[in-house]
Amino acid sequence: MRTVLLSKHDELYLEKCAQENQFSYGIIVGHQADLTKSIVVHLARNNEEDADVEDLADVRLTISDINSQALASQWLSASKMCPGSFDVIGIFVSSVRSDVVNEQSAEFKNAKKLFSDIYDLLLKSNSSFGVYTTDVAQTDFVFLSYSLADKKVLCKNYSYGNGGTFTNMEYKFVEKPFEWIQLECSYDLDDVLPILDSSRRVNIEDQFQNIIVSVRKNLLASEVFLQNEVVEDTIDLQAYIKKKKTKVDQHKPTSASGGTATVASNTTNSLPQLASEAIIGGGEPIRASIVLPVKCQLSKPTDIKVREFSGTLHMSGIIATKVFCNPRNSIADVKRFVRDDVLRSLITRIQVYCDGLTDPYVTNEALYISEPPRRVFFSLPSEGPSTSVGAVVQFSEYLFRGEAPTVVVAQAKQILDVELDPETISVEAEGLPDDSNFTNANTGADRTDDSRIMPSSMPKPELSRSLYMVGIAVALLVLLASVALHYILAER
């Protein structure tokens, strides 16, 4: 039977929600420790209640009154802020009345309908829902209700499909703090994709979707190395760390870049590849790498062809990731979490960028430069006794150039119901692009007093045709060189 583990702080938060608003609801952010245990990382009540109601104590709200649209919006927004090892795993209800913990009450029946409505809204409102991860989409969720009158909790597992079903689920309030081990990863993106759309006006959003498909394909084919070696997927992270600690003096690398280079040369016979460095927190740092195979290794020989296309799409930059794992997580889980975090961060910043586009089309004669928002990190403020040991759990948000950390403060309050100090937000994980890249691209173009030179969320597409042709020529040379290299290697 599946079990949900909560901290004493979670119990106090449920009590606080019922005392302050008489009836509250929100999302549950959790972590899958193993096949049968989920750890509640954070509870966040929904802040979309009617601001015109001065005294909520006089309003007898029920589950049927919950705004499913507002809850689905909070669910989706929080999912984008979670690291790859965390997910929104369900919803909670906190009330002064006892019927919310009675399985025979109308409230319990309304909860099933609420789940079904929310899931449908998530599927309709976000085409990427279910593709945030490199694994299968989530279909089992947690329903947690708390009664202040009885000081009781009802916890059920909700399965989507066939109208939705509730099954029994255990819950425990754990006295011992949860332990977290942190992984940090700097994932380099530097690739060129063909634009196969022959239309004169190209849809930018469609091209960004092609980036997501390409990166996801590469991540699924990648291998994650720990300390420059392949680690068996079936062992757990705790056992691996203990084993490495006994040999820390012999295996301590001098630098992160040196470790990654060793992996590249020893595992791929010096073939070019894309690698990322990661650090596993908790004790002595352990370095790891995500190694992606070269493209010709992902394709059949018959798939390599010389084709005409309308342009190229060059993606370049760094995705900074932070993942938090339980010591009992298997190495297979750890690898999946790192891949998921890279993909989730890429999809999120593309969605945020596209949401601000006034016109998603650009002519194929133009050189279009885009600067999606960069990722920033913040820790959840501690309240009362510590509920965790080891690494401090962090979530993330995305800022465009020129936006202040106060934007993150507002989002954290609205979505996660936490108060942040702007000074504590880490904005250095991902640096801003070099201004010279944008200045050079605008050389020779007619300029007005706008943000064309300074990269913004909405860059201008009108650039010189000569630069565009140079880009095509360079891309063709790269393609021909790749084909030649393939035949040389094939003959050997």
Side-chain angles (χ1 to χ4, degrees), residues 11-42:
E11 186 176 21
L12 294 175
Y13 183 79
L14 291 170
E15 183 177 342
K16 172 186 173 183
C17 289
Q19 289 175 338
E20 292 183 353
N21 291 348
Q22 308 302 306
F23 181 88
S24 293
Y25 60 91
I27 58 171
I28 305 171
V29 177
H31 169 78
Q32 196 68 27
D34 55 39
L35 294 177
T36 60
K37 288 186 177 63
S38 295
I39 298 174
V40 173
V41 178
H42 184 64

PDB file of all heavy atoms in Angstrom, residues 11-42:
ATOM      1  N   GLU A  11       1.643  19.297   9.526  1.00  0.00           N
ATOM      2  CA  GLU A  11       0.453  19.215  10.377  1.00  0.00           C
ATOM      3  C   GLU A  11       0.086  20.592  10.922  1.00  0.00           C
ATOM      4  O   GLU A  11      -1.090  20.978  10.942  1.00  0.00           O
ATOM      5  CB  GLU A  11       0.696  18.238  11.527  1.00  0.00           C
ATOM      6  CG  GLU A  11      -0.528  17.976  12.384  1.00  0.00           C
ATOM      7  CD  GLU A  11      -0.294  16.934  13.453  1.00  0.00           C
ATOM      8  OE1 GLU A  11       0.877  16.692  13.795  1.00  0.00           O
ATOM      9  OE2 GLU A  11      -1.285  16.356  13.952  1.00  0.00           O
ATOM     10  N   LEU A  12       1.095  21.351  11.341  1.00  0.00           N
ATOM     11  CA  LEU A  12       0.843  22.703  11.845  1.00  0.00           C
ATOM     12  C   LEU A  12       0.318  23.620  10.742  1.00  0.00           C
ATOM     13  O   LEU A  12      -0.524  24.494  10.993  1.00  0.00           O
ATOM     14  CB  LEU A  12       2.137  23.283  12.437  1.00  0.00           C
ATOM     15  CG  LEU A  12       2.688  22.592  13.690  1.00  0.00           C
ATOM     16  CD1 LEU A  12       4.023  23.195  14.083  1.00  0.00           C
ATOM     17  CD2 LEU A  12       1.684  22.696  14.837  1.00  0.00           C
ATOM     18  N   TYR A  13       0.789  23.418   9.520  1.00  0.00           N
ATOM     19  CA  TYR A  13       0.335  24.242   8.399  1.00  0.00           C
ATOM     20  C   TYR A  13      -1.133  23.962   8.084  1.00  0.00           C
ATOM     21  O   TYR A  13      -1.917  24.887   7.828  1.00  0.00           O
ATOM     22  CB  TYR A  13       1.198  23.964   7.175  1.00  0.00           C
ATOM     23  CG  TYR A  13       0.859  24.831   5.979  1.00  0.00           C
ATOM     24  CD1 TYR A  13       1.301  26.140   5.895  1.00  0.00           C
ATOM     25  CD2 TYR A  13       0.094  24.325   4.930  1.00  0.00           C
ATOM     26  CE1 TYR A  13       0.995  26.946   4.806  1.00  0.00           C
ATOM     27  CE2 TYR A  13      -0.224  25.113   3.835  1.00  0.00           C
ATOM     28  CZ  TYR A  13       0.237  26.426   3.775  1.00  0.00           C
ATOM     29  OH  TYR A  13      -0.081  27.207   2.699  1.00  0.00           O
ATOM     30  N   LEU A  14      -1.539  22.694   8.110  1.00  0.00           N
ATOM     31  CA  LEU A  14      -2.940  22.336   7.886  1.00  0.00           C
ATOM     32  C   LEU A  14      -3.835  22.958   8.956  1.00  0.00           C
ATOM     33  O   LEU A  14      -4.929  23.466   8.664  1.00  0.00           O
ATOM     34  CB  LEU A  14      -3.093  20.814   7.881  1.00  0.00           C
ATOM     35  CG  LEU A  14      -2.465  20.063   6.701  1.00  0.00           C
ATOM     36  CD1 LEU A  14      -2.476  18.561   6.960  1.00  0.00           C
ATOM     37  CD2 LEU A  14      -3.204  20.386   5.409  1.00  0.00           C
ATOM     38  N   GLU A  15      -3.358  22.924  10.175  1.00  0.00           N
ATOM     39  CA  GLU A  15      -4.120  23.524  11.281  1.00  0.00           C
ATOM     40  C   GLU A  15      -4.227  25.042  11.100  1.00  0.00           C
ATOM     41  O   GLU A  15      -5.296  25.634  11.301  1.00  0.00           O
ATOM     42  CB  GLU A  15      -3.434  23.200  12.608  1.00  0.00           C
ATOM     43  CG  GLU A  15      -4.169  23.715  13.830  1.00  0.00           C
ATOM     44  CD  GLU A  15      -3.494  23.318  15.131  1.00  0.00           C
ATOM     45  OE1 GLU A  15      -2.673  22.384  15.090  1.00  0.00           O
ATOM     46  OE2 GLU A  15      -3.769  23.948  16.167  1.00  0.00           O
ATOM     47  N   LYS A  16      -3.140  25.669  10.685  1.00  0.00           N
ATOM     48  CA  LYS A  16      -3.119  27.110  10.461  1.00  0.00           C
ATOM     49  C   LYS A  16      -4.098  27.520   9.356  1.00  0.00           C
ATOM     50  O   LYS A  16      -4.820  28.510   9.487  1.00  0.00           O
ATOM     51  CB  LYS A  16      -1.702  27.542  10.095  1.00  0.00           C
ATOM     52  CG  LYS A  16      -1.567  28.983   9.662  1.00  0.00           C
ATOM     53  CD  LYS A  16      -0.150  29.270   9.187  1.00  0.00           C
ATOM     54  CE  LYS A  16      -0.041  30.663   8.597  1.00  0.00           C
ATOM     55  NZ  LYS A  16       1.339  30.917   8.067  1.00  0.00           N
ATOM     56  N   CYS A  17      -4.138  26.743   8.279  1.00  0.00           N
ATOM     57  CA  CYS A  17      -5.038  27.057   7.163  1.00  0.00           C
ATOM     58  C   CYS A  17      -6.498  27.022   7.599  1.00  0.00           C
ATOM     59  O   CYS A  17      -7.305  27.884   7.207  1.00  0.00           O
ATOM     60  CB  CYS A  17      -4.817  26.066   6.012  1.00  0.00           C
ATOM     61  SG  CYS A  17      -3.252  26.292   5.141  1.00  0.00           S
ATOM     62  N   ALA A  18      -6.854  26.036   8.410  1.00  0.00           N
ATOM     63  CA  ALA A  18      -8.239  25.928   8.877  1.00  0.00           C
ATOM     64  C   ALA A  18      -8.579  27.045   9.854  1.00  0.00           C
ATOM     65  O   ALA A  18      -9.690  27.596   9.833  1.00  0.00           O
ATOM     66  CB  ALA A  18      -8.458  24.570   9.529  1.00  0.00           C
ATOM     67  N   GLN A  19      -7.644  27.403  10.702  1.00  0.00           N
ATOM     68  CA  GLN A  19      -7.905  28.449  11.698  1.00  0.00           C
ATOM     69  C   GLN A  19      -8.069  29.816  11.046  1.00  0.00           C
ATOM     70  O   GLN A  19      -8.930  30.607  11.450  1.00  0.00           O
ATOM     71  CB  GLN A  19      -6.757  28.483  12.711  1.00  0.00           C
ATOM     72  CG  GLN A  19      -6.721  27.301  13.653  1.00  0.00           C
ATOM     73  CD  GLN A  19      -5.501  27.325  14.552  1.00  0.00           C
ATOM     74  OE1 GLN A  19      -4.492  27.967  14.242  1.00  0.00           O
ATOM     75  NE2 GLN A  19      -5.569  26.619  15.666  1.00  0.00           N
ATOM     76  N   GLU A  20      -7.257  30.094  10.039  1.00  0.00           N
ATOM     77  CA  GLU A  20      -7.272  31.427   9.431  1.00  0.00           C
ATOM     78  C   GLU A  20      -8.431  31.626   8.454  1.00  0.00           C
ATOM     79  O   GLU A  20      -9.014  32.697   8.381  1.00  0.00           O
ATOM     80  CB  GLU A  20      -5.939  31.676   8.712  1.00  0.00           C
ATOM     81  CG  GLU A  20      -4.753  31.805   9.648  1.00  0.00           C
ATOM     82  CD  GLU A  20      -3.466  32.112   8.915  1.00  0.00           C
ATOM     83  OE1 GLU A  20      -3.473  32.085   7.651  1.00  0.00           O
ATOM     84  OE2 GLU A  20      -2.455  32.377   9.591  1.00  0.00           O
ATOM     85  N   ASN A  21      -8.748  30.596   7.685  1.00  0.00           N
ATOM     86  CA  ASN A  21      -9.753  30.766   6.622  1.00  0.00           C
ATOM     87  C   ASN A  21     -10.981  29.893   6.773  1.00  0.00           C
ATOM     88  O   ASN A  21     -11.846  29.908   5.893  1.00  0.00           O
ATOM     89  CB  ASN A  21      -9.120  30.486   5.252  1.00  0.00           C
ATOM     90  CG  ASN A  21      -8.116  31.545   4.856  1.00  0.00           C
ATOM     91  OD1 ASN A  21      -8.043  32.597   5.473  1.00  0.00           O
ATOM     92  ND2 ASN A  21      -7.345  31.273   3.841  1.00  0.00           N
ATOM     93  N   GLN A  22     -11.057  29.105   7.828  1.00  0.00           N
ATOM     94  CA  GLN A  22     -12.173  28.193   8.049  1.00  0.00           C
ATOM     95  C   GLN A  22     -12.196  27.049   7.020  1.00  0.00           C
ATOM     96  O   GLN A  22     -12.465  25.916   7.357  1.00  0.00           O
ATOM     97  CB  GLN A  22     -13.523  28.944   8.008  1.00  0.00           C
ATOM     98  CG  GLN A  22     -13.593  30.159   8.922  1.00  0.00           C
ATOM     99  CD  GLN A  22     -13.342  29.800  10.374  1.00  0.00           C
ATOM    100  OE1 GLN A  22     -14.006  28.926  10.930  1.00  0.00           O
ATOM    101  NE2 GLN A  22     -12.400  30.488  10.994  1.00  0.00           N
ATOM    102  N   PHE A  23     -11.915  27.385   5.777  1.00  0.00           N
ATOM    103  CA  PHE A  23     -11.842  26.366   4.721  1.00  0.00           C
ATOM    104  C   PHE A  23     -10.763  26.796   3.716  1.00  0.00           C
ATOM    105  O   PHE A  23     -10.841  27.883   3.148  1.00  0.00           O
ATOM    106  CB  PHE A  23     -13.183  26.220   4.002  1.00  0.00           C
ATOM    107  CG  PHE A  23     -13.180  25.169   2.912  1.00  0.00           C
ATOM    108  CD1 PHE A  23     -13.471  23.847   3.203  1.00  0.00           C
ATOM    109  CD2 PHE A  23     -12.871  25.510   1.597  1.00  0.00           C
ATOM    110  CE1 PHE A  23     -13.468  22.888   2.200  1.00  0.00           C
ATOM    111  CE2 PHE A  23     -12.867  24.561   0.594  1.00  0.00           C
ATOM    112  CZ  PHE A  23     -13.169  23.245   0.901  1.00  0.00           C
ATOM    113  N   SER A  24      -9.763  25.956   3.538  1.00  0.00           N
ATOM    114  CA  SER A  24      -8.671  26.244   2.606  1.00  0.00           C
ATOM    115  C   SER A  24      -8.385  25.020   1.762  1.00  0.00           C
ATOM    116  O   SER A  24      -8.689  23.875   2.148  1.00  0.00           O
ATOM    117  CB  SER A  24      -7.394  26.656   3.351  1.00  0.00           C
ATOM    118  OG  SER A  24      -7.545  27.893   4.000  1.00  0.00           O
ATOM    119  N   TYR A  25      -7.796  25.263   0.631  1.00  0.00           N
ATOM    120  CA  TYR A  25      -7.382  24.160  -0.245  1.00  0.00           C
ATOM    121  C   TYR A  25      -6.122  24.575  -0.983  1.00  0.00           C
ATOM    122  O   TYR A  25      -5.802  25.766  -1.096  1.00  0.00           O
ATOM    123  CB  TYR A  25      -8.491  23.810  -1.235  1.00  0.00           C
ATOM    124  CG  TYR A  25      -8.899  24.943  -2.148  1.00  0.00           C
ATOM    125  CD1 TYR A  25      -8.287  25.118  -3.390  1.00  0.00           C
ATOM    126  CD2 TYR A  25      -9.899  25.844  -1.773  1.00  0.00           C
ATOM    127  CE1 TYR A  25      -8.659  26.155  -4.225  1.00  0.00           C
ATOM    128  CE2 TYR A  25     -10.284  26.877  -2.604  1.00  0.00           C
ATOM    129  CZ  TYR A  25      -9.662  27.032  -3.839  1.00  0.00           C
ATOM    130  OH  TYR A  25     -10.027  28.064  -4.661  1.00  0.00           O
ATOM    131  N   GLY A  26      -5.395  23.585  -1.475  1.00  0.00           N
ATOM    132  CA  GLY A  26      -4.157  23.890  -2.184  1.00  0.00           C
ATOM    133  C   GLY A  26      -3.514  22.637  -2.745  1.00  0.00           C
ATOM    134  O   GLY A  26      -4.134  21.578  -2.838  1.00  0.00           O
ATOM    135  N   ILE A  27      -2.255  22.771  -3.112  1.00  0.00           N
ATOM    136  CA  ILE A  27      -1.528  21.685  -3.766  1.00  0.00           C
ATOM    137  C   ILE A  27      -0.523  21.044  -2.825  1.00  0.00           C
ATOM    138  O   ILE A  27      -0.102  21.650  -1.845  1.00  0.00           O
ATOM    139  CB  ILE A  27      -0.802  22.189  -5.030  1.00  0.00           C
ATOM    140  CG1 ILE A  27       0.159  23.323  -4.661  1.00  0.00           C
ATOM    141  CG2 ILE A  27      -1.799  22.625  -6.094  1.00  0.00           C
ATOM    142  CD1 ILE A  27       1.080  23.733  -5.787  1.00  0.00           C
ATOM    143  N   ILE A  28      -0.145  19.809  -3.160  1.00  0.00           N
ATOM    144  CA  ILE A  28       0.866  19.068  -2.413  1.00  0.00           C
ATOM    145  C   ILE A  28       2.051  18.831  -3.339  1.00  0.00           C
ATOM    146  O   ILE A  28       1.911  18.196  -4.385  1.00  0.00           O
ATOM    147  CB  ILE A  28       0.330  17.711  -1.911  1.00  0.00           C
ATOM    148  CG1 ILE A  28      -0.941  17.899  -1.094  1.00  0.00           C
ATOM    149  CG2 ILE A  28       1.395  16.986  -1.103  1.00  0.00           C
ATOM    150  CD1 ILE A  28      -1.627  16.568  -0.752  1.00  0.00           C
ATOM    151  N   VAL A  29       3.219  19.357  -2.962  1.00  0.00           N
ATOM    152  CA  VAL A  29       4.451  19.073  -3.699  1.00  0.00           C
ATOM    153  C   VAL A  29       5.149  17.930  -2.988  1.00  0.00           C
ATOM    154  O   VAL A  29       5.346  17.964  -1.769  1.00  0.00           O
ATOM    155  CB  VAL A  29       5.365  20.308  -3.755  1.00  0.00           C
ATOM    156  CG1 VAL A  29       6.682  19.970  -4.458  1.00  0.00           C
ATOM    157  CG2 VAL A  29       4.663  21.457  -4.475  1.00  0.00           C
ATOM    158  N   GLY A  30       5.509  16.896  -3.746  1.00  0.00           N
ATOM    159  CA  GLY A  30       6.087  15.721  -3.117  1.00  0.00           C
ATOM    160  C   GLY A  30       7.238  15.112  -3.891  1.00  0.00           C
ATOM    161  O   GLY A  30       7.562  15.537  -5.007  1.00  0.00           O
ATOM    162  N   HIS A  31       7.833  14.119  -3.274  1.00  0.00           N
ATOM    163  CA  HIS A  31       8.975  13.403  -3.845  1.00  0.00           C
ATOM    164  C   HIS A  31       8.737  11.913  -3.699  1.00  0.00           C
ATOM    165  O   HIS A  31       8.321  11.445  -2.628  1.00  0.00           O
ATOM    166  CB  HIS A  31      10.267  13.798  -3.128  1.00  0.00           C
ATOM    167  CG  HIS A  31      11.451  12.940  -3.461  1.00  0.00           C
ATOM    168  ND1 HIS A  31      12.166  13.084  -4.623  1.00  0.00           N
ATOM    169  CD2 HIS A  31      12.028  11.916  -2.772  1.00  0.00           C
ATOM    170  CE1 HIS A  31      13.149  12.199  -4.647  1.00  0.00           C
ATOM    171  NE2 HIS A  31      13.089  11.480  -3.533  1.00  0.00           N
ATOM    172  N   GLN A  32       8.986  11.160  -4.763  1.00  0.00           N
ATOM    173  CA  GLN A  32       8.807   9.719  -4.733  1.00  0.00           C
ATOM    174  C   GLN A  32      10.076   9.074  -4.193  1.00  0.00           C
ATOM    175  O   GLN A  32      11.080   8.960  -4.905  1.00  0.00           O
ATOM    176  CB  GLN A  32       8.492   9.185  -6.142  1.00  0.00           C
ATOM    177  CG  GLN A  32       7.922   7.781  -6.160  1.00  0.00           C
ATOM    178  CD  GLN A  32       6.515   7.695  -5.548  1.00  0.00           C
ATOM    179  OE1 GLN A  32       5.779   8.671  -5.555  1.00  0.00           O
ATOM    180  NE2 GLN A  32       6.176   6.547  -5.027  1.00  0.00           N
ATOM    181  N   ALA A  33      10.047   8.664  -2.914  1.00  0.00           N
ATOM    182  CA  ALA A  33      11.233   8.076  -2.299  1.00  0.00           C
ATOM    183  C   ALA A  33      11.496   6.678  -2.833  1.00  0.00           C
ATOM    184  O   ALA A  33      12.640   6.295  -3.077  1.00  0.00           O
ATOM    185  CB  ALA A  33      11.065   8.029  -0.780  1.00  0.00           C
ATOM    186  N   ASP A  34      10.440   5.894  -2.998  1.00  0.00           N
ATOM    187  CA  ASP A  34      10.542   4.575  -3.623  1.00  0.00           C
ATOM    188  C   ASP A  34       9.178   4.232  -4.199  1.00  0.00           C
ATOM    189  O   ASP A  34       8.302   5.090  -4.300  1.00  0.00           O
ATOM    190  CB  ASP A  34      11.043   3.507  -2.639  1.00  0.00           C
ATOM    191  CG  ASP A  34      10.193   3.413  -1.374  1.00  0.00           C
ATOM    192  OD1 ASP A  34       8.956   3.538  -1.488  1.00  0.00           O
ATOM    193  OD2 ASP A  34      10.745   3.208  -0.294  1.00  0.00           O
ATOM    194  N   LEU A  35       8.969   2.977  -4.560  1.00  0.00           N
ATOM    195  CA  LEU A  35       7.725   2.603  -5.221  1.00  0.00           C
ATOM    196  C   LEU A  35       6.500   2.746  -4.334  1.00  0.00           C
ATOM    197  O   LEU A  35       5.381   2.893  -4.825  1.00  0.00           O
ATOM    198  CB  LEU A  35       7.828   1.156  -5.728  1.00  0.00           C
ATOM    199  CG  LEU A  35       8.840   0.903  -6.850  1.00  0.00           C
ATOM    200  CD1 LEU A  35       8.900  -0.579  -7.195  1.00  0.00           C
ATOM    201  CD2 LEU A  35       8.492   1.735  -8.087  1.00  0.00           C
ATOM    202  N   THR A  36       6.685   2.723  -3.024  1.00  0.00           N
ATOM    203  CA  THR A  36       5.537   2.737  -2.117  1.00  0.00           C
ATOM    204  C   THR A  36       5.467   3.963  -1.213  1.00  0.00           C
ATOM    205  O   THR A  36       4.489   4.125  -0.496  1.00  0.00           O
ATOM    206  CB  THR A  36       5.556   1.482  -1.227  1.00  0.00           C
ATOM    207  OG1 THR A  36       6.769   1.451  -0.451  1.00  0.00           O
ATOM    208  CG2 THR A  36       5.463   0.216  -2.077  1.00  0.00           C
ATOM    209  N   LYS A  37       6.501   4.818  -1.215  1.00  0.00           N
ATOM    210  CA  LYS A  37       6.535   5.950  -0.283  1.00  0.00           C
ATOM    211  C   LYS A  37       6.706   7.267  -1.030  1.00  0.00           C
ATOM    212  O   LYS A  37       7.568   7.402  -1.892  1.00  0.00           O
ATOM    213  CB  LYS A  37       7.672   5.793   0.730  1.00  0.00           C
ATOM    214  CG  LYS A  37       7.436   4.719   1.774  1.00  0.00           C
ATOM    215  CD  LYS A  37       8.538   4.739   2.827  1.00  0.00           C
ATOM    216  CE  LYS A  37       8.276   3.712   3.915  1.00  0.00           C
ATOM    217  NZ  LYS A  37       8.279   2.333   3.398  1.00  0.00           N
ATOM    218  N   SER A  38       5.866   8.239  -0.665  1.00  0.00           N
ATOM    219  CA  SER A  38       5.976   9.600  -1.174  1.00  0.00           C
ATOM    220  C   SER A  38       6.211  10.543   0.001  1.00  0.00           C
ATOM    221  O   SER A  38       5.529  10.445   1.027  1.00  0.00           O
ATOM    222  CB  SER A  38       4.701  10.020  -1.915  1.00  0.00           C
ATOM    223  OG  SER A  38       4.503   9.244  -3.078  1.00  0.00           O
ATOM    224  N   ILE A  39       7.176  11.437  -0.141  1.00  0.00           N
ATOM    225  CA  ILE A  39       7.485  12.407   0.899  1.00  0.00           C
ATOM    226  C   ILE A  39       6.858  13.749   0.529  1.00  0.00           C
ATOM    227  O   ILE A  39       7.043  14.245  -0.582  1.00  0.00           O
ATOM    228  CB  ILE A  39       9.008  12.578   1.066  1.00  0.00           C
ATOM    229  CG1 ILE A  39       9.650  11.253   1.491  1.00  0.00           C
ATOM    230  CG2 ILE A  39       9.325  13.669   2.082  1.00  0.00           C
ATOM    231  CD1 ILE A  39      11.171  11.308   1.544  1.00  0.00           C
ATOM    232  N   VAL A  40       6.089  14.327   1.442  1.00  0.00           N
ATOM    233  CA  VAL A  40       5.530  15.648   1.214  1.00  0.00           C
ATOM    234  C   VAL A  40       6.632  16.672   1.449  1.00  0.00           C
ATOM    235  O   VAL A  40       7.186  16.774   2.554  1.00  0.00           O
ATOM    236  CB  VAL A  40       4.330  15.923   2.131  1.00  0.00           C
ATOM    237  CG1 VAL A  40       3.882  17.374   2.001  1.00  0.00           C
ATOM    238  CG2 VAL A  40       3.177  14.996   1.790  1.00  0.00           C
ATOM    239  N   VAL A  41       6.963  17.426   0.417  1.00  0.00           N
ATOM    240  CA  VAL A  41       8.013  18.430   0.484  1.00  0.00           C
ATOM    241  C   VAL A  41       7.446  19.781   0.903  1.00  0.00           C
ATOM    242  O   VAL A  41       8.055  20.515   1.688  1.00  0.00           O
ATOM    243  CB  VAL A  41       8.723  18.557  -0.884  1.00  0.00           C
ATOM    244  CG1 VAL A  41       9.795  19.640  -0.835  1.00  0.00           C
ATOM    245  CG2 VAL A  41       9.314  17.227  -1.311  1.00  0.00           C
ATOM    246  N   HIS A  42       6.254  20.104   0.390  1.00  0.00           N
ATOM    247  CA  HIS A  42       5.689  21.428   0.660  1.00  0.00           C
ATOM    248  C   HIS A  42       4.184  21.408   0.417  1.00  0.00           C
ATOM    249  O   HIS A  42       3.703  20.800  -0.543  1.00  0.00           O
ATOM    250  CB  HIS A  42       6.347  22.471  -0.250  1.00  0.00           C
ATOM    251  CG  HIS A  42       5.900  23.873   0.013  1.00  0.00           C
ATOM    252  ND1 HIS A  42       6.136  24.537   1.197  1.00  0.00           N
ATOM    253  CD2 HIS A  42       5.212  24.746  -0.774  1.00  0.00           C
ATOM    254  CE1 HIS A  42       5.634  25.753   1.133  1.00  0.00           C
ATOM    255  NE2 HIS A  42       5.055  25.905  -0.043  1.00  0.00           N
TER     256      HIS A  42
END
